[in-house]
Amino acid sequence: MNVFLHELKSYRKSTIIWSISMAALIIFFLSMYPSFSSSVSLVKKILEGYPEPIRKAFGISIDDITKFLGFYSYVFSFVVLGGAIQSMNYGISTISKEIKLKTADFLMTKPISRNEILTSKLLASLTSIVITDIIYLVTAYITAESVTKELFNIKLFFMVSVTLFFVEVIFMSIGVLISAVVGKIKSMISLSLGVVFTFYIIGMFQATLNDKAMKYITPFKYFDTEYIIKNSSYDITFVIISILIVLISIFLSYVFFLKRDIHVV
Amino acid sequence: MKIIEVNNLTKYYGKSRGIIDVSFDVEEGEVFGFIGPNGAGKSTTIRILLSLIYPTSGSAKIFGKDCIKYGPDIKKDIGYLPSEVFYYDNMKVIDLLKYSASFYKKDCSKRIKELSELMDLDLNKKIDDLSYGNRKKVGIVQGLLHEPKLLILDEPTSGLDPLMQQRFFNLLKEENKKGVTILFSSHILSEVQKLCDRVAIIKEGKIVSLEKISTLRENSYKKVYVEANAPLKSEYFNMDGVSDLQVKDRTVSFLFKGDINNITKKIAEISITDVTIEEPSLEEIFMHYYMRG
Amino acid sequence: MNIYLRELKANGKSLFIWCIIMIAFVAASMGKYAASSYISGQSLNDIISKMPDAVKSMFGAGTFDLSKAIGFYGAMFIYIVLMAAIHASMIGANIISKEEDDKTAEFLMSKPVSRINVITSKLLASFTNIAIFNIVTLLSSLFLVNYYSKGENVTDDILKLVIGMFILQMIFMSIGIGLSALFKNSKLASPVTVGVMLVTYVLSLAIDIDSNLSGLKYLTPFKYFDAKNLMNGKGFEIIYIVISALIVILCIGGTFVFYQKRDLKI
C-alpha cells in the first residue's frame, strides 16, 4: 500500500498536466464543430452526385463523418495519441525509473517482494490513467452537449470514448514489458515517443492506404471507431488480441523483473 | 547461531567474473569485516545477500533462511547502507524516512528523531539540496531506523567527515552491544581494524583469507628488515616462509612466516649493521595478500 | 573538437536507427504505391479536389495526385516530417541537458573548456546529425521515387520537400536546445520540447479542419513548409523563411546567453 501511495504521489503532477491537456484538446477541437458542420453540408451535395462505388472508395460513408460522432471520432484519434504517450511513459518508467534514478537499491532492500513492488506500481499507473480518463470523459461529454444542436447517440459516444482507456492499457503493458526487459533506459521519453509514434504513423499509414493486414500491427487501430459506430459493438477479434497482448506483456514483465539482476550503479 | 551462511557462491556477469566459490559464515553478535580492493567482489556478494542479483551457483542463508527464497521476509530485520546513496530527489528527508519506515510494521518515529539528532541531520531539507555527506547520513538513519538485527554496510564511511565517522562508529558499537550483527565491507583497513572481530579478505572474486583480526596480526607474519655490512646476494634470504623479498644493495626487507629461530640463525651468519623484526601493520598484511599471485 | 566527436559518437547508434527507419518508411510507402490501386484513382482525385479543406484533411491524402509516384510521396511526406520533428526535438532537448541528467556535467565543465565552446561543439554535432538524417532521407527518396515514377521529373519536388523538412528540424532542434539551456531543471527540457512539438502539430491539424483558424498558421512550424504548397507551384514563402530564421537565431542566441549564466545542477 505504501509503495502504491508513493507512486501515485509521484505521478500526481503528470496526471494533472495530462488531464488538463487532454480536456483542453477536446474542448478546442469540439468547439470547431459548428463551423465544420456548416461547411460539410456542401460536401454532402457534391457526393450525392456520384455513384455508390466511388463513395465507398473513401472507406468512410459520408453520412458518418458529417454527423457529430464521425467528427468526434476523427478528433478523438488525437486524444488517443496523447493517452498512449501518457500510458507508455508510465509503463516504461515503472522499473526503469528506479534504475535510472538509482533508487532501486533503496526500494528492493526493503522487506517487500518484487511481485508486490510491481503490482503496486502497476496499480498506481492504472489509477493515474483512470483519473485522467474520467476527467477527459466528463469534459468531452459536457463540451459535446454544448456544441451540438443535433442529438447524438450517447451510448455510442461513450463506447467510443472508453476505447481511450483500452488503448492506454495496451500501451502501458507494452511499456512495462520494455522496462522489465531493458532495465536501464537512458532517455525514457525518447524511447516512449519512439514506440508510440511508430505505432501512430503505422496507423495513419493504414488509414490512408486502407490496408487490412496493417490493422493488426498497431493498437491505434484495434478499436476502430467507424466499426463501433456502425455496429454498436467492438470488433471481437481485436478485443481478444488486446486482452492477449496485455496479459502476455504483464505476465512476461513479472517473469523478467523477478529474474533481473539489479546492478551497482 | 549463524546469522549469515554463504556456501560456494559464484556469480558471473555474462562471461566476466563476479565472485567465485565464496564461502563464509557470520555468527550472531559478530562484527564481520569484508575487505578487498575495488572490483574484488565485495558488492557482488552483498547484493546477492540482499537478493538484488541472483547467484550463478551456490546459495546463501540469512537467519537460517535462503536469502533468495525468503528475501522479503528476512529483509524485515536487515538494515542496508550502500556505498553511494541515491534517493527520490523531490522528497524531503523526513518524507523519505517516513516512506522507508512504512515498510516495517512498527512505529519508528522516535528512533528517526534520535538517530537524526545524533547524526546532525536536518529533516526538513529536500534531498536534492543535500551534500554527498549529508545524503550519506540519510542513508545511515534510513538503514538503522527499524532496529534491524543485521546491518549490512557497503563501504559506509565515504563522504563522512572524521567527526561523523567517529559518531557513526560509536553508534555501530552500541548497536553491536545490543546484539546486532554487522557485516562491514570496506577497502580501508584501519576502519575494519577498529570495529571487526573477524575479516574475510577477498581478491579477484575469491576469498583468500578468513581470520580473526587478532590472529591475522599476532602470529602470522613478522616484518624483517636487515642492513648488512657488505652487499647481499638476492638469493640469500630466499627460503621457506619468506615472502615479499626486496633486496637493495646492502638492505633487505621481507615478510616471514614460520619458526622465528630459522630466520635469526640465518641473520646471525652474516655481518649486519642493523636489524628490525616487527609486527606488520594490517595494511602490509593486506598488501601481502593482494600481491601474492 | 573532442566534444564534437564525442557527441557524434554518442548519438551514432540512435542516428543509425533513425536513418534505417526513414529508409524503411520511404521504401514501404513507395512499395505500397506500386501495389495500390491508386493508379487508377483519377476520379477520386476529382471529387477530393472539390471538397472543402476540412473534409480533405480528414481523408489524409488531401490534394495530392495519388496516381503519380511523386503525388503519393507528397501525401506520405507529413509522416516523414512528423518523424523528423521528433528526431530533431529529442536531439535538441537532450544534447545539453543530458550532461546534468547523467551527472557528467561536473566532469565536462571542470575541463579547461569554456561553456561557449561546449555549446558550439554540441550545436555542431546536432547540426551534423540532422544533416545526415536529411541526406539519407533525400537520397533514399530520390532513388525510390524515381524508381517507381514513370519518367516524370521528381527531383525538384523532393528537393523542395526535404529542404523544408531540414528547416523544420532546425527549428525544433533549436527550440529544444534553447529550452534545455533555459530550464534550471534539466529533466524538464525533453517533455516540454515534445509538448511544444505536439501542440504545434495538433494546431496544424486544427487549421486544416477549421479555416477560421488559418491566422494561427504562423504559430506552427508544421504549416511553414506544407507539402501541398511546396509541390503545387507556390514554393517557399519568404515570410515563413524569415520566421524560421528568427526562431532559430533567437533560440540559439538564447542558449548561449542562458547557459553562460546558469548554475549547473550537480
Side-chain angles (χ1 to χ4, degrees):
Chain A
M1 195 62 184
N2 48 356
V3 178
F4 172 77
L5 290 176
H6 177 258
E7 285 299 308
L8 206 56
K9 217 171 159 187
S10 76
Y11 285 143
R12 187 173 53 192
K13 224 183 194 169
S14 129
T15 311
I16 294 173
I17 292 175
W18 276 106
S19 305
I20 293 176
S21 328
M22 272 152 78
L25 185 73
I26 200 65
I27 294 175
F28 175 62
F29 270 108
L30 286 186
S31 60
M32 289 190 286
Y33 180 67
S35 81
F36 172 81
S37 64
S38 63
S39 75
V40 118
S41 52
L42 209 132
V43 184
K44 253 180 164 172
K45 274 186 203 126
I46 303 171
L47 271 180
E48 271 157 13
Y50 286 86
E52 177 74 15
I54 292 183
R55 272 190 266 163
K56 265 217 166 138
F58 281 106
I60 309 173
S61 119
I62 205 71
D63 275 349
D64 288 341
I65 54 153
T66 54
K67 282 193 180 146
F68 173 72
L69 279 182
F71 180 79
Y72 175 69
S73 15
Y74 174 67
V75 168
F76 182 68
S77 62
F78 306 124
V79 176
V80 177
L81 174 64
I85 297 174
Q86 181 194 15
S87 47
M88 187 56 118
N89 283 345
Y90 291 172
I92 284 186
S93 69
T94 310
I95 296 162
S96 303
K97 185 177 65 179
E98 300 285 343
I99 295 176
K100 165 127 200 194
L101 295 178
K102 299 160 187 174
T103 49
D105 273 19
F106 169 82
L107 190 59
M108 291 177 159
T109 52
K110 296 282 174 278
I112 176 171
S113 71
R114 293 193 183 187
N115 269 332
E116 281 173 79
I117 293 177
L118 191 51
T119 309
S120 312
K121 281 171 159 274
L122 286 179
L123 286 178
S125 307
L126 208 60
T127 312
S128 298
I129 291 174
V130 169
I131 292 172
T132 313
D133 286 359
I134 291 175
I135 292 173
Y136 164 77
L137 202 62
V138 171
T139 319
Y141 179 69
I142 296 172
T143 320
E145 280 290 1
S146 55
V147 296
T148 52
K149 290 187 193 78
E150 80 232 45
L151 282 173
F152 61 94
N153 188 327
I154 292 170
K155 186 189 155 211
L156 283 181
F157 176 82
F158 280 107
M159 277 187 79
V160 168
S161 303
V162 191
T163 63
L164 170 65
F165 177 69
F166 302 153
V167 176
E168 285 175 330
V169 173
I170 298 176
F171 275 103
M172 188 189 86
S173 39
I174 297 175
V176 177
L177 181 59
I178 293 175
S179 80
V181 174
V182 183
K184 189 177 178 184
I185 294 170
K186 255 208 155 164
S187 172
M188 288 185 263
I189 192 159
S190 310
L191 184 64
S192 143
L193 281 179
V195 175
V196 172
F197 270 90
T198 307
F199 284 125
Y200 179 69
I201 286 170
I202 293 174
M204 296 212 297
F205 208 45
Q206 190 275 336
T208 314
L209 301 173
N210 216 355
D211 182 315
K212 288 264 164 6
M214 278 171 85
K215 269 191 156 184
Y216 292 90
I217 308 175
T218 166
F220 284 112
K221 292 288 162 189
Y222 287 0
F223 299 95
D224 188 349
T225 45
E226 193 196 320
Y227 183 96
I228 299 170
I229 294 171
K230 234 183 235 161
N231 302 292
S232 302
S233 73
Y234 301 116
D235 188 338
I236 192 75
T237 326
F238 288 106
V239 173
I240 293 171
I241 293 177
S242 309
I243 292 173
L244 282 180
I245 291 178
V246 172
L247 289 183
I248 293 172
S249 306
I250 300 278
F251 172 76
L252 287 179
S253 306
Y254 276 95
V255 173
F256 279 111
F257 183 55
L258 289 191
K259 288 196 176 155
R260 163 165 284 284
D261 280 353
I262 307 294
H263 292 298
V264 196
V265 281
Chain B
M1 193 190 130
K2 281 171 182 156
I3 295 290
I4 304 178
E5 297 161 67
V6 177
N7 296 313
N8 310 99
L9 218 48
T10 299
K11 172 74 183 174
Y12 275 92
Y13 299 106
K15 273 190 181 164
S16 67
R17 160 198 66 79
I19 50 173
I20 301 165
D21 206 22
V22 166
S23 301
F24 63 88
D25 295 331
V26 179
E27 299 287 332
E28 183 166 15
E30 194 175 18
V31 182
F32 189 88
F34 201 42
I35 34 179
N38 299 326
K42 300 186 297 281
S43 291
T44 301
T45 313
I46 285 177
R47 295 176 86 77
I48 293 176
L49 289 176
L50 291 162
S51 66
L52 286 168
I53 58 178
Y54 299 116
T56 312
S57 66
S59 67
K61 284 182 182 172
I62 294 180
F63 309 131
K65 291 173 186 163
D66 185 88
C67 68
I68 304 296
K69 219 168 162 190
Y70 297 97
D73 200 27
I74 57 180
K75 281 178 207 166
K76 281 180 197 159
D77 293 312
I78 298 181
Y80 170 59
L81 176 61
S83 52
E84 277 189 81
V85 279
F86 291 101
Y87 297 122
Y88 307 90
D89 281 348
N90 47 8
M91 284 175 110
K92 276 186 186 172
V93 174
I94 185 70
D95 294 332
L96 180 98
L97 293 177
K98 277 183 179 161
Y99 182 44
S100 179
S102 72
F103 286 93
Y104 308 99
K105 305 203 163 25
K106 51 176 123 177
D107 180 25
C108 306
S109 45
K110 202 178 141 221
R111 181 95 166 146
I112 291 178
K113 221 182 136 206
E114 281 171 12
L115 286 170
S116 49
E117 267 168 25
L118 185 73
M119 295 312 294
D120 234 345
L121 182 66
D122 186 348
L123 289 176
N124 288 314
K125 272 205 171 151
K126 276 205 158 191
I127 295 189
D128 239 0
D129 304 333
L130 292 183
S131 68
Y132 183 66
N134 278 318
R135 271 173 187 242
K136 199 86 198 190
K137 290 184 197 169
V138 179
I140 293 171
V141 177
Q142 177 273 136
L144 284 163
L145 55 80
H146 55 292
E147 300 180 70
K149 290 193 190 116
L150 168 64
L151 269 174
I152 297 181
L153 313 167
D154 193 355
E155 298 183 11
T157 49
S158 57
L160 288 180
D161 61 47
L163 180 68
M164 277 305 149
Q165 255 183 50
Q166 199 48 51
R167 278 193 204 173
F168 176 53
F169 280 148
N170 290 341
L171 184 64
L172 289 181
K173 279 179 190 155
E174 253 171 63
E175 289 297 310
N176 184 237
K177 263 185 214 153
K178 284 192 232 160
V180 172
T181 312
I182 300 175
L183 175 64
F184 190 109
S185 138
S186 176
H187 57 256
I188 304 164
L189 269 140
S190 51
E191 287 184 0
V192 175
Q193 209 169 332
K194 269 186 218 161
L195 277 171
C196 298
D197 307 320
R198 283 197 304 152
V199 286
I201 298 178
I202 187 168
K203 181 192 171 190
E204 287 167 11
K206 291 181 190 152
I207 300 269
V208 288
S209 171
L210 189 85
E211 269 168 294
K212 281 189 177 168
I213 284 268
S214 45
T215 344
L216 200 63
R217 301 195 60 172
E218 275 165 19
N219 45 21
S220 50
Y221 294 91
K222 299 290 173 203
K223 196 186 173 193
V224 184
Y225 176 86
V226 181
E227 205 178 311
N229 270 336
L232 281 166
K233 281 186 185 151
S234 58
E235 317 89 62
Y236 186 74
F237 281 104
N238 205 347
M239 54 189 272
D240 269 1
V242 167
S243 59
D244 208 7
L245 182 65
Q246 278 170 349
V247 185
K248 222 186 237 169
D249 199 23
R250 292 189 300 138
T251 61
V252 181
S253 69
F254 55 85
L255 291 176
F256 179 75
K257 187 180 188 179
D259 188 352
I260 195 78
N261 288 312
N262 292 342
I263 206 73
T264 45
K265 275 179 201 153
K266 195 87 181 166
I267 295 172
E269 282 168 23
I270 52 171
S271 168
I272 58 169
T273 51
D274 194 12
V275 62
T276 343
I277 299 179
E278 59 178 17
E279 294 261 313
S281 70
L282 258 182
E283 260 80 5
E284 277 160 319
I285 299 171
F286 191 50
M287 283 314 288
H288 167 73
Y289 278 111
Y290 284 172
M291 308 301 272
R292 197 174 58 178
Chain C
M1 195 61 187
N2 46 1
I3 300 178
Y4 172 76
L5 291 176
R6 159 89 203 118
E7 285 303 330
L8 279 193
K9 222 172 163 186
N11 280 311
K13 207 166 112 197
S14 118
L15 179 66
F16 181 75
I17 296 173
W18 273 105
C19 288
I20 297 287
I21 291 178
M22 297 315 284
I23 295 171
F25 184 81
V26 175
S29 339
M30 295 322 288
K32 204 69 207 167
Y33 161 76
S36 72
S37 55
Y38 285 112
I39 293 171
S40 60
Q42 201 52 46
S43 55
L44 273 181
N45 288 328
D46 281 349
I47 309 178
I48 292 172
S49 63
K50 282 182 193 146
M51 290 195 182
D53 285 343
V55 182
K56 266 188 227 162
S57 74
M58 286 176 69
F59 287 113
T63 49
F64 297 100
D65 183 354
L66 296 179
S67 62
K68 283 192 186 145
I70 187 68
F72 194 86
Y73 178 79
M76 291 296 144
F77 199 71
I78 178 64
Y79 312 137
I80 295 180
V81 167
L82 189 54
M83 288 193 270
I86 297 172
H87 171 247
S89 312
M90 296 317 309
I91 284 216
N94 275 332
I95 200 144
I96 291 182
S97 64
K98 71 175 174 198
E99 299 286 349
E100 282 167 277
D101 237 19
D102 300 344
K103 330 231 177 227
T104 49
E106 228 170 357
F107 166 82
L108 185 63
M109 295 305 180
S110 59
K111 299 278 171 288
V113 284
S114 67
R115 292 195 188 184
I116 291 187
N117 189 327
V118 170
I119 295 173
T120 314
S121 310
K122 282 173 176 272
L123 271 174
L124 282 177
S126 315
F127 181 81
T128 313
N129 266 284
I130 289 175
I132 294 174
F133 180 98
N134 278 276
I135 291 170
V136 169
T137 311
L138 177 69
L139 292 180
S140 54
S141 302
L142 279 177
F143 175 74
L144 286 155
V145 179
N146 248 319
Y147 182 80
Y148 287 109
S149 73
K150 297 164 200 78
E152 321 112 69
N153 180 12
V154 297
T155 315
D156 287 357
D157 278 341
I158 293 179
L159 212 54
K160 271 191 245 166
L161 291 178
V162 174
I163 290 172
M165 175 174 96
F166 174 73
I167 303 177
L168 185 99
Q169 280 201 297
M170 290 301 293
I171 295 176
F172 282 113
M173 189 266 280
S174 26
I175 292 178
I177 221 165
L179 287 176
S180 66
L182 178 65
F183 286 133
K184 280 200 185 106
N185 185 347
S186 60
K187 286 187 189 93
L188 283 177
S190 295
V192 175
T193 312
V194 169
V196 169
M197 189 212 64
L198 284 179
V199 167
T200 51
Y201 174 64
V202 166
L203 184 63
S204 76
L205 295 167
I207 292 169
D208 282 340
I209 299 179
D210 190 342
S211 49
N212 295 334
L213 295 174
S214 69
L216 297 176
K217 65 188 171 193
Y218 300 103
L219 291 179
T220 164
F222 286 98
K223 280 274 149 208
Y224 294 178
F225 308 100
D226 203 345
K228 281 170 262 179
N229 298 342
L230 288 182
M231 287 170 64
N232 297 347
K234 266 194 189 164
F236 292 100
E237 287 173 67
I238 197 79
I239 172 81
Y240 290 129
I241 301 215
V242 171
I243 298 178
S244 308
L246 278 180
I247 295 177
V248 172
I249 291 168
L250 273 178
C251 286
I252 290 181
T255 305
F256 282 106
V257 174
F258 292 129
Y259 202 65
Q260 279 286 57
K261 290 187 182 162
R262 195 161 71 110
D263 283 348
L264 290 178
K265 204 174 134 195
I266 288 161

